[in-house]
Amino acid sequence: MNTAVRAVLLCLALAGCVDSTAPQAGATPKGEGGFVERNGHGLDYHVYVPGSYTGAQVVPLVVFLHGCNGDAMEQATVTSGWSAQAEAAGFIAVFPQAPPPLACWWFTNPVANSQRDGGEPAAIAGITQDVIAEWNIDRKRVWLDGYSAGGTLTAAIGATWPDLYAAIGMVEGCPYMCTDATGELAYRAMGEHARPLPVFMVSGTAGGYVVGGLVNLQQWLSTDDLADDGEFNGSVARSAASSEQGTSGRGLPYTVDRYNGSSGRVLIEQWVVQGMTHEYPEPGGDLPDATAGAWAFFQQHPFE
């Protein structure tokens, strides 16, 4: 059994290859903005340009990667609501479409899709750079978010392109290579661009939490510790600096833990929802809004 097949089976075992939210077809968010279709680097992608955009001012950019077997437009308009968030806040959002037949990021070729200069990381980085060149993007405020398999690719891109994205977000995604509990692989992948990368993550205890929650957190705490000063010395603390509890409209308790970097600022934020399955906590639903949470986190983490 080859590496790609094993990885897909692992993904399926974690419920990471199926978009279980089953969104209904959505529409363009209310406002004067709309989607522009593009193709580049072997992928189709949809660019949402808000009605407030004139080209005279620089605006942020968010790239969102959909889940496996997912449709970029459905997840742009319904599941994640990132296009509506872009309209409301006045930034540009990009939604690449994974190619058929699986429409699944990363898992089809884990090794190639974990490298900086090849595979899907290079393609998504190339799309991001093309959008930066075509629209008036604030280079210090470029962020990457992803769900499920898209979250797993986000981890790979965060490790290989930390100089392009100021921060990343993941909902139900694997850590780098889906196995990097020590954080050393992601740190080595950063190479000369190594830096403590701000990370926002959401997971449910009934949806692959061991890998997508516990291991994911430990990997990024360790990677950021190493990237901080080149040594594994606790410069990024393993204990949360703050912790908040709440209860969702579905009646599921959740915790928000924030971990500080060596500067004393929040570097990693993790949401854990008790009893949540493998799903995206969408805007207007009965779970904490993962899109609003990621957007709030991103705004606090531009390139300095």
Short mmCIF file of all heavy atoms in Angstrom, two decimals, residues 60-62 138-144 162-169 195-201 224 236 242 256-271 292-304:
data_model
loop_
_atom_site.label_atom_id
_atom_site.label_comp_id
_atom_site.label_asym_id
_atom_site.label_seq_id
_atom_site.Cartn_x
_atom_site.Cartn_y
_atom_site.Cartn_z
N PRO A 60 -6.91 43.70 3.31
CA PRO A 60 -6.39 42.37 3.67
C PRO A 60 -6.84 41.31 2.67
O PRO A 60 -7.74 41.51 1.85
CB PRO A 60 -7.02 42.11 5.05
CG PRO A 60 -7.48 43.45 5.54
CD PRO A 60 -7.84 44.22 4.31
N LEU A 61 -6.21 40.14 2.80
CA LEU A 61 -6.54 38.99 1.97
C LEU A 61 -6.63 37.75 2.84
O LEU A 61 -5.75 37.49 3.67
CB LEU A 61 -5.46 38.78 0.90
CG LEU A 61 -5.53 37.50 0.07
CD1 LEU A 61 -6.79 37.46 -0.78
CD2 LEU A 61 -4.29 37.36 -0.81
N VAL A 62 -7.72 36.99 2.67
CA VAL A 62 -7.87 35.69 3.32
C VAL A 62 -8.04 34.63 2.24
O VAL A 62 -8.88 34.78 1.34
CB VAL A 62 -9.08 35.66 4.28
CG1 VAL A 62 -9.32 34.23 4.80
CG2 VAL A 62 -8.87 36.61 5.45
N ASP A 138 -2.84 44.46 1.14
CA ASP A 138 -1.91 44.81 2.21
C ASP A 138 -1.03 43.58 2.48
O ASP A 138 -1.50 42.60 3.05
CB ASP A 138 -2.69 45.21 3.47
CG ASP A 138 -1.79 45.63 4.61
OD1 ASP A 138 -0.55 45.45 4.52
OD2 ASP A 138 -2.31 46.16 5.62
N ARG A 139 0.21 43.65 2.06
CA ARG A 139 1.10 42.49 2.17
C ARG A 139 1.30 42.02 3.62
O ARG A 139 1.62 40.85 3.86
CB ARG A 139 2.45 42.85 1.54
CG ARG A 139 3.48 41.73 1.56
CD ARG A 139 3.02 40.53 0.77
NE ARG A 139 3.95 39.42 0.96
CZ ARG A 139 3.97 38.62 2.02
NH1 ARG A 139 3.10 38.79 3.01
NH2 ARG A 139 4.84 37.64 2.10
N LYS A 140 1.09 42.91 4.58
CA LYS A 140 1.27 42.53 5.98
C LYS A 140 0.05 41.82 6.54
O LYS A 140 0.11 41.29 7.66
CB LYS A 140 1.56 43.77 6.83
CG LYS A 140 2.91 44.41 6.53
CD LYS A 140 3.19 45.55 7.49
CE LYS A 140 4.59 46.13 7.25
NZ LYS A 140 4.90 47.21 8.22
N ARG A 141 -1.05 41.80 5.79
CA ARG A 141 -2.29 41.19 6.29
C ARG A 141 -2.82 40.17 5.28
O ARG A 141 -3.89 40.33 4.70
CB ARG A 141 -3.32 42.27 6.60
CG ARG A 141 -2.92 43.20 7.73
CD ARG A 141 -4.04 44.15 8.12
NE ARG A 141 -4.30 45.11 7.06
CZ ARG A 141 -5.40 45.86 6.98
NH1 ARG A 141 -6.36 45.72 7.90
NH2 ARG A 141 -5.55 46.72 5.98
N VAL A 142 -2.03 39.13 5.07
CA VAL A 142 -2.41 38.01 4.22
C VAL A 142 -2.49 36.78 5.11
O VAL A 142 -1.50 36.41 5.77
CB VAL A 142 -1.38 37.79 3.09
CG1 VAL A 142 -1.75 36.57 2.25
CG2 VAL A 142 -1.29 39.03 2.21
N TRP A 143 -3.66 36.14 5.14
CA TRP A 143 -3.89 35.03 6.07
C TRP A 143 -4.46 33.82 5.32
O TRP A 143 -5.08 33.96 4.26
CB TRP A 143 -4.86 35.46 7.17
CG TRP A 143 -4.37 36.63 7.98
CD1 TRP A 143 -3.27 36.67 8.78
CD2 TRP A 143 -4.96 37.94 8.07
NE1 TRP A 143 -3.14 37.91 9.38
CE2 TRP A 143 -4.17 38.72 8.95
CE3 TRP A 143 -6.08 38.53 7.49
CZ2 TRP A 143 -4.46 40.03 9.27
CZ3 TRP A 143 -6.38 39.86 7.80
CH2 TRP A 143 -5.56 40.59 8.68
N LEU A 144 -4.27 32.64 5.92
CA LEU A 144 -4.71 31.39 5.32
C LEU A 144 -5.52 30.60 6.32
O LEU A 144 -5.13 30.44 7.48
CB LEU A 144 -3.48 30.57 4.89
CG LEU A 144 -3.72 29.19 4.28
CD1 LEU A 144 -4.42 29.32 2.92
CD2 LEU A 144 -2.39 28.45 4.12
N PRO A 162 5.90 30.36 5.68
CA PRO A 162 5.62 31.27 6.80
C PRO A 162 5.96 32.72 6.49
O PRO A 162 5.58 33.62 7.24
CB PRO A 162 6.51 30.73 7.92
CG PRO A 162 7.66 30.09 7.20
CD PRO A 162 7.06 29.48 5.97
N ASP A 163 6.67 32.94 5.39
CA ASP A 163 7.01 34.30 4.97
C ASP A 163 5.91 34.93 4.13
O ASP A 163 5.96 36.14 3.86
CB ASP A 163 8.32 34.30 4.19
CG ASP A 163 8.32 33.30 3.03
OD1 ASP A 163 7.73 32.20 3.18
OD2 ASP A 163 8.89 33.60 1.97
N LEU A 164 4.93 34.15 3.71
CA LEU A 164 3.85 34.67 2.87
C LEU A 164 2.59 34.96 3.67
O LEU A 164 1.88 35.94 3.40
CB LEU A 164 3.53 33.67 1.75
CG LEU A 164 2.45 34.05 0.74
CD1 LEU A 164 2.78 35.37 0.05
CD2 LEU A 164 2.27 32.93 -0.29
N TYR A 165 2.29 34.10 4.66
CA TYR A 165 1.05 34.24 5.44
C TYR A 165 1.38 34.70 6.86
O TYR A 165 2.18 34.07 7.56
CB TYR A 165 0.30 32.91 5.46
CG TYR A 165 -0.04 32.42 4.07
CD1 TYR A 165 0.77 31.50 3.42
CD2 TYR A 165 -1.15 32.93 3.39
CE1 TYR A 165 0.48 31.07 2.14
CE2 TYR A 165 -1.44 32.50 2.10
CZ TYR A 165 -0.62 31.58 1.47
OH TYR A 165 -0.90 31.17 0.19
N ALA A 166 0.73 35.76 7.28
CA ALA A 166 1.01 36.32 8.61
C ALA A 166 0.54 35.41 9.72
O ALA A 166 1.12 35.37 10.81
CB ALA A 166 0.36 37.70 8.74
N ALA A 167 -0.55 34.66 9.48
CA ALA A 167 -1.09 33.72 10.46
C ALA A 167 -1.95 32.71 9.70
O ALA A 167 -2.36 32.96 8.55
CB ALA A 167 -1.93 34.43 11.52
N ILE A 168 -2.22 31.58 10.34
CA ILE A 168 -3.06 30.56 9.72
C ILE A 168 -4.17 30.13 10.68
O ILE A 168 -4.06 30.32 11.90
CB ILE A 168 -2.26 29.32 9.28
CG1 ILE A 168 -1.64 28.60 10.50
CG2 ILE A 168 -1.19 29.71 8.27
CD1 ILE A 168 -1.00 27.26 10.16
N GLY A 169 -5.23 29.55 10.11
CA GLY A 169 -6.33 29.00 10.90
C GLY A 169 -6.68 27.61 10.40
O GLY A 169 -6.56 27.33 9.20
N ARG A 195 9.94 31.32 11.75
CA ARG A 195 9.49 32.33 12.70
C ARG A 195 8.33 31.73 13.49
O ARG A 195 7.67 30.80 13.02
CB ARG A 195 9.03 33.60 11.99
CG ARG A 195 7.75 33.42 11.18
CD ARG A 195 7.33 34.71 10.50
NE ARG A 195 6.07 34.54 9.78
CZ ARG A 195 4.86 34.81 10.29
NH1 ARG A 195 4.75 35.25 11.54
NH2 ARG A 195 3.77 34.62 9.58
N PRO A 196 8.06 32.23 14.69
CA PRO A 196 6.88 31.76 15.42
C PRO A 196 5.62 32.15 14.65
O PRO A 196 5.37 33.33 14.41
CB PRO A 196 6.98 32.50 16.76
CG PRO A 196 8.41 32.89 16.89
CD PRO A 196 8.88 33.16 15.49
N LEU A 197 4.86 31.16 14.22
CA LEU A 197 3.69 31.40 13.37
C LEU A 197 2.43 31.42 14.22
O LEU A 197 2.12 30.45 14.91
CB LEU A 197 3.59 30.29 12.32
CG LEU A 197 2.43 30.39 11.33
CD1 LEU A 197 2.62 31.59 10.41
CD2 LEU A 197 2.31 29.10 10.51
N PRO A 198 1.67 32.51 14.19
CA PRO A 198 0.39 32.53 14.91
C PRO A 198 -0.59 31.54 14.30
O PRO A 198 -0.76 31.49 13.07
CB PRO A 198 -0.09 33.98 14.73
CG PRO A 198 1.14 34.77 14.41
CD PRO A 198 2.00 33.83 13.61
N VAL A 199 -1.25 30.75 15.16
CA VAL A 199 -2.15 29.70 14.69
C VAL A 199 -3.45 29.74 15.48
O VAL A 199 -3.44 29.80 16.71
CB VAL A 199 -1.51 28.30 14.85
CG1 VAL A 199 -2.46 27.22 14.35
CG2 VAL A 199 -0.18 28.22 14.11
N PHE A 200 -4.57 29.69 14.74
CA PHE A 200 -5.91 29.58 15.31
C PHE A 200 -6.44 28.20 14.94
O PHE A 200 -6.37 27.80 13.77
CB PHE A 200 -6.82 30.67 14.74
CG PHE A 200 -8.26 30.56 15.14
CD1 PHE A 200 -8.69 31.09 16.35
CD2 PHE A 200 -9.19 29.95 14.31
CE1 PHE A 200 -10.03 31.00 16.72
CE2 PHE A 200 -10.53 29.86 14.68
CZ PHE A 200 -10.94 30.39 15.89
N MET A 201 -6.94 27.44 15.92
CA MET A 201 -7.41 26.09 15.62
C MET A 201 -8.70 25.77 16.36
O MET A 201 -8.90 26.22 17.49
CB MET A 201 -6.33 25.06 15.95
CG MET A 201 -5.87 25.04 17.38
SD MET A 201 -4.48 23.87 17.66
CE MET A 201 -3.14 24.73 16.84
N ASP A 224 6.73 26.53 17.17
CA ASP A 224 6.92 27.95 17.48
C ASP A 224 8.00 28.15 18.54
O ASP A 224 8.72 29.16 18.51
CB ASP A 224 5.59 28.57 17.93
CG ASP A 224 4.68 28.87 16.75
OD1 ASP A 224 5.13 28.78 15.60
OD2 ASP A 224 3.48 29.18 16.98
N VAL A 236 8.08 29.39 24.26
CA VAL A 236 6.63 29.40 24.06
C VAL A 236 6.06 28.44 25.10
O VAL A 236 6.30 27.24 25.05
CB VAL A 236 6.24 28.95 22.65
CG1 VAL A 236 4.72 28.85 22.52
CG2 VAL A 236 6.79 29.93 21.60
N SER A 242 -4.47 32.05 29.26
CA SER A 242 -5.85 32.34 29.64
C SER A 242 -6.75 31.25 29.11
O SER A 242 -6.44 30.57 28.12
CB SER A 242 -6.30 33.70 29.10
OG SER A 242 -6.38 33.68 27.68
N VAL A 256 -11.93 27.95 25.21
CA VAL A 256 -11.01 28.74 24.39
C VAL A 256 -9.74 28.95 25.21
O VAL A 256 -9.77 29.63 26.24
CB VAL A 256 -11.62 30.10 23.98
CG1 VAL A 256 -10.60 30.92 23.20
CG2 VAL A 256 -12.89 29.88 23.17
N ASP A 257 -8.65 28.36 24.77
CA ASP A 257 -7.35 28.49 25.44
C ASP A 257 -6.41 29.33 24.57
O ASP A 257 -6.33 29.11 23.35
CB ASP A 257 -6.72 27.12 25.69
CG ASP A 257 -7.47 26.32 26.75
OD1 ASP A 257 -8.01 26.94 27.68
OD2 ASP A 257 -7.52 25.09 26.62
N ARG A 258 -5.70 30.24 25.21
CA ARG A 258 -4.75 31.10 24.49
C ARG A 258 -3.35 30.92 25.08
O ARG A 258 -3.18 30.98 26.30
CB ARG A 258 -5.20 32.56 24.56
CG ARG A 258 -6.56 32.80 23.90
CD ARG A 258 -6.97 34.26 23.95
NE ARG A 258 -8.23 34.48 23.25
CZ ARG A 258 -9.43 34.41 23.84
NH1 ARG A 258 -9.52 34.15 25.14
NH2 ARG A 258 -10.53 34.61 23.14
N TYR A 259 -2.38 30.74 24.19
CA TYR A 259 -0.99 30.49 24.57
C TYR A 259 -0.13 31.65 24.08
O TYR A 259 -0.20 32.03 22.91
CB TYR A 259 -0.51 29.18 23.96
CG TYR A 259 -1.27 27.97 24.44
CD1 TYR A 259 -2.52 27.65 23.90
CD2 TYR A 259 -0.76 27.14 25.44
CE1 TYR A 259 -3.23 26.54 24.34
CE2 TYR A 259 -1.46 26.04 25.89
CZ TYR A 259 -2.70 25.74 25.34
OH TYR A 259 -3.41 24.65 25.78
N ASN A 260 0.68 32.17 24.96
CA ASN A 260 1.50 33.33 24.63
C ASN A 260 2.84 32.92 24.06
O ASN A 260 3.41 31.89 24.41
CB ASN A 260 1.74 34.20 25.87
CG ASN A 260 0.50 34.95 26.31
OD1 ASN A 260 -0.50 35.00 25.58
ND2 ASN A 260 0.54 35.53 27.49
N GLY A 261 3.37 33.78 23.19
CA GLY A 261 4.74 33.63 22.72
C GLY A 261 5.70 34.32 23.68
O GLY A 261 5.31 34.81 24.74
N SER A 262 6.98 34.37 23.30
CA SER A 262 7.99 34.96 24.19
C SER A 262 7.78 36.45 24.39
O SER A 262 8.25 37.02 25.38
CB SER A 262 9.38 34.70 23.62
OG SER A 262 9.51 35.28 22.33
N SER A 263 7.04 37.09 23.48
CA SER A 263 6.77 38.52 23.62
C SER A 263 5.67 38.81 24.63
O SER A 263 5.45 39.97 24.99
CB SER A 263 6.35 39.10 22.26
OG SER A 263 5.09 38.58 21.86
N GLY A 264 4.97 37.76 25.08
CA GLY A 264 3.85 37.95 26.00
C GLY A 264 2.52 38.12 25.30
O GLY A 264 1.48 38.20 25.97
N ARG A 265 2.53 38.15 23.97
CA ARG A 265 1.29 38.26 23.20
C ARG A 265 0.77 36.86 22.84
O ARG A 265 1.54 35.91 22.75
CB ARG A 265 1.52 39.05 21.92
CG ARG A 265 1.90 40.50 22.13
CD ARG A 265 2.09 41.19 20.79
NE ARG A 265 0.89 41.08 19.97
CZ ARG A 265 0.90 41.16 18.64
NH1 ARG A 265 2.04 41.29 17.99
NH2 ARG A 265 -0.24 41.07 17.97
N VAL A 266 -0.55 36.78 22.60
CA VAL A 266 -1.15 35.50 22.21
C VAL A 266 -0.57 35.06 20.88
O VAL A 266 -0.54 35.82 19.90
CB VAL A 266 -2.68 35.62 22.12
CG1 VAL A 266 -3.28 34.33 21.57
CG2 VAL A 266 -3.28 35.95 23.47
N LEU A 267 -0.11 33.81 20.84
CA LEU A 267 0.47 33.25 19.63
C LEU A 267 -0.39 32.13 19.07
O LEU A 267 -0.50 31.98 17.84
CB LEU A 267 1.88 32.73 19.93
CG LEU A 267 2.70 32.19 18.77
CD1 LEU A 267 2.93 33.27 17.71
CD2 LEU A 267 4.04 31.65 19.26
N ILE A 268 -0.98 31.33 19.94
CA ILE A 268 -1.83 30.22 19.52
C ILE A 268 -3.14 30.28 20.29
O ILE A 268 -3.15 30.47 21.50
CB ILE A 268 -1.14 28.87 19.77
CG1 ILE A 268 0.12 28.74 18.89
CG2 ILE A 268 -2.09 27.71 19.49
CD1 ILE A 268 0.92 27.49 19.15
N GLU A 269 -4.24 30.13 19.56
CA GLU A 269 -5.57 30.10 20.17
C GLU A 269 -6.27 28.82 19.74
O GLU A 269 -6.37 28.54 18.55
CB GLU A 269 -6.39 31.32 19.76
CG GLU A 269 -7.76 31.39 20.40
CD GLU A 269 -8.46 32.73 20.14
OE1 GLU A 269 -7.80 33.78 20.17
OE2 GLU A 269 -9.69 32.69 19.88
N GLN A 270 -6.73 28.06 20.73
CA GLN A 270 -7.40 26.79 20.44
C GLN A 270 -8.80 26.77 21.01
O GLN A 270 -9.00 27.04 22.19
CB GLN A 270 -6.61 25.60 20.99
CG GLN A 270 -7.24 24.25 20.61
CD GLN A 270 -6.60 23.07 21.31
OE1 GLN A 270 -6.42 23.09 22.53
NE2 GLN A 270 -6.26 22.04 20.55
N TRP A 271 -9.78 26.42 20.16
CA TRP A 271 -11.16 26.19 20.59
C TRP A 271 -11.41 24.68 20.58
O TRP A 271 -11.14 24.01 19.58
CB TRP A 271 -12.15 26.84 19.64
CG TRP A 271 -12.14 28.34 19.60
CD1 TRP A 271 -11.20 29.19 20.13
CD2 TRP A 271 -13.10 29.17 18.94
NE1 TRP A 271 -11.52 30.49 19.86
CE2 TRP A 271 -12.69 30.51 19.13
CE3 TRP A 271 -14.26 28.92 18.23
CZ2 TRP A 271 -13.41 31.59 18.61
CZ3 TRP A 271 -14.98 29.98 17.72
CH2 TRP A 271 -14.56 31.30 17.92
N ALA A 292 -15.83 33.91 12.44
CA ALA A 292 -15.68 35.14 13.22
C ALA A 292 -14.48 35.04 14.16
O ALA A 292 -13.74 36.01 14.35
CB ALA A 292 -16.95 35.42 14.02
N GLY A 293 -14.27 33.83 14.74
CA GLY A 293 -13.14 33.65 15.63
C GLY A 293 -11.82 33.78 14.90
O GLY A 293 -10.87 34.42 15.39
N ALA A 294 -11.71 33.17 13.72
CA ALA A 294 -10.49 33.26 12.93
C ALA A 294 -10.23 34.70 12.49
O ALA A 294 -9.10 35.18 12.54
CB ALA A 294 -10.58 32.35 11.72
N TRP A 295 -11.29 35.40 12.06
CA TRP A 295 -11.12 36.78 11.60
C TRP A 295 -10.64 37.67 12.74
O TRP A 295 -9.74 38.50 12.55
CB TRP A 295 -12.43 37.30 11.01
CG TRP A 295 -12.39 38.75 10.61
CD1 TRP A 295 -13.19 39.75 11.09
CD2 TRP A 295 -11.52 39.35 9.64
NE1 TRP A 295 -12.86 40.93 10.49
CE2 TRP A 295 -11.85 40.72 9.59
CE3 TRP A 295 -10.50 38.87 8.83
CZ2 TRP A 295 -11.18 41.62 8.76
CZ3 TRP A 295 -9.83 39.76 7.99
CH2 TRP A 295 -10.17 41.11 7.96
N ALA A 296 -11.19 37.49 13.93
CA ALA A 296 -10.75 38.29 15.08
C ALA A 296 -9.29 37.98 15.40
O ALA A 296 -8.50 38.89 15.70
CB ALA A 296 -11.63 37.98 16.29
N PHE A 297 -8.92 36.71 15.33
CA PHE A 297 -7.52 36.32 15.59
C PHE A 297 -6.60 36.90 14.52
O PHE A 297 -5.54 37.44 14.84
CB PHE A 297 -7.43 34.80 15.60
CG PHE A 297 -6.05 34.27 15.89
CD1 PHE A 297 -5.60 34.13 17.20
CD2 PHE A 297 -5.21 33.87 14.86
CE1 PHE A 297 -4.33 33.63 17.47
CE2 PHE A 297 -3.94 33.37 15.12
CZ PHE A 297 -3.50 33.26 16.43
N PHE A 298 -6.98 36.80 13.27
CA PHE A 298 -6.14 37.30 12.18
C PHE A 298 -5.89 38.80 12.34
O PHE A 298 -4.76 39.25 12.12
CB PHE A 298 -6.81 37.03 10.83
CG PHE A 298 -6.80 35.59 10.41
CD1 PHE A 298 -7.66 35.15 9.41
CD2 PHE A 298 -5.97 34.66 11.00
CE1 PHE A 298 -7.66 33.83 8.99
CE2 PHE A 298 -5.96 33.32 10.62
CZ PHE A 298 -6.81 32.91 9.59
N GLN A 299 -6.91 39.55 12.69
CA GLN A 299 -6.72 40.99 12.82
C GLN A 299 -5.68 41.36 13.86
O GLN A 299 -5.04 42.41 13.79
CB GLN A 299 -8.06 41.65 13.15
CG GLN A 299 -9.05 41.64 12.00
CD GLN A 299 -10.35 42.32 12.38
OE1 GLN A 299 -10.49 43.54 12.22
NE2 GLN A 299 -11.29 41.56 12.89
N GLN A 300 -5.50 40.49 14.84
CA GLN A 300 -4.51 40.73 15.88
C GLN A 300 -3.12 40.28 15.47
O GLN A 300 -2.16 40.51 16.21
CB GLN A 300 -4.92 39.98 17.16
CG GLN A 300 -6.24 40.43 17.76
CD GLN A 300 -6.72 39.50 18.86
OE1 GLN A 300 -5.95 38.71 19.41
NE2 GLN A 300 -8.00 39.56 19.16
N HIS A 301 -2.99 39.66 14.29
CA HIS A 301 -1.72 39.08 13.90
C HIS A 301 -1.33 39.43 12.45
O HIS A 301 -1.29 38.56 11.58
CB HIS A 301 -1.74 37.57 14.09
CG HIS A 301 -1.83 37.14 15.51
ND1 HIS A 301 -3.04 36.94 16.15
CD2 HIS A 301 -0.87 36.93 16.44
CE1 HIS A 301 -2.80 36.59 17.41
NE2 HIS A 301 -1.52 36.58 17.60
N PRO A 302 -1.03 40.69 12.20
CA PRO A 302 -0.40 41.03 10.92
C PRO A 302 1.10 40.76 11.01
O PRO A 302 1.64 40.54 12.11
CB PRO A 302 -0.67 42.54 10.80
CG PRO A 302 -0.67 43.01 12.23
CD PRO A 302 -1.26 41.87 13.05
N PHE A 303 1.77 40.76 9.86
CA PHE A 303 3.23 40.77 9.91
C PHE A 303 3.67 42.05 10.59
O PHE A 303 3.13 43.13 10.34
CB PHE A 303 3.82 40.72 8.50
CG PHE A 303 3.95 39.35 7.93
CD1 PHE A 303 3.21 38.98 6.81
CD2 PHE A 303 4.83 38.43 8.48
CE1 PHE A 303 3.34 37.72 6.27
CE2 PHE A 303 4.96 37.15 7.94
CZ PHE A 303 4.21 36.80 6.84
N GLU A 304 4.65 41.95 11.43
CA GLU A 304 5.17 43.15 12.12
C GLU A 304 6.41 43.67 11.40
O GLU A 304 7.10 42.96 10.72
CB GLU A 304 5.47 42.80 13.58
CG GLU A 304 4.22 42.40 14.36
CD GLU A 304 4.53 42.09 15.81
OE1 GLU A 304 5.74 42.03 16.16
OE2 GLU A 304 3.58 41.92 16.57
#
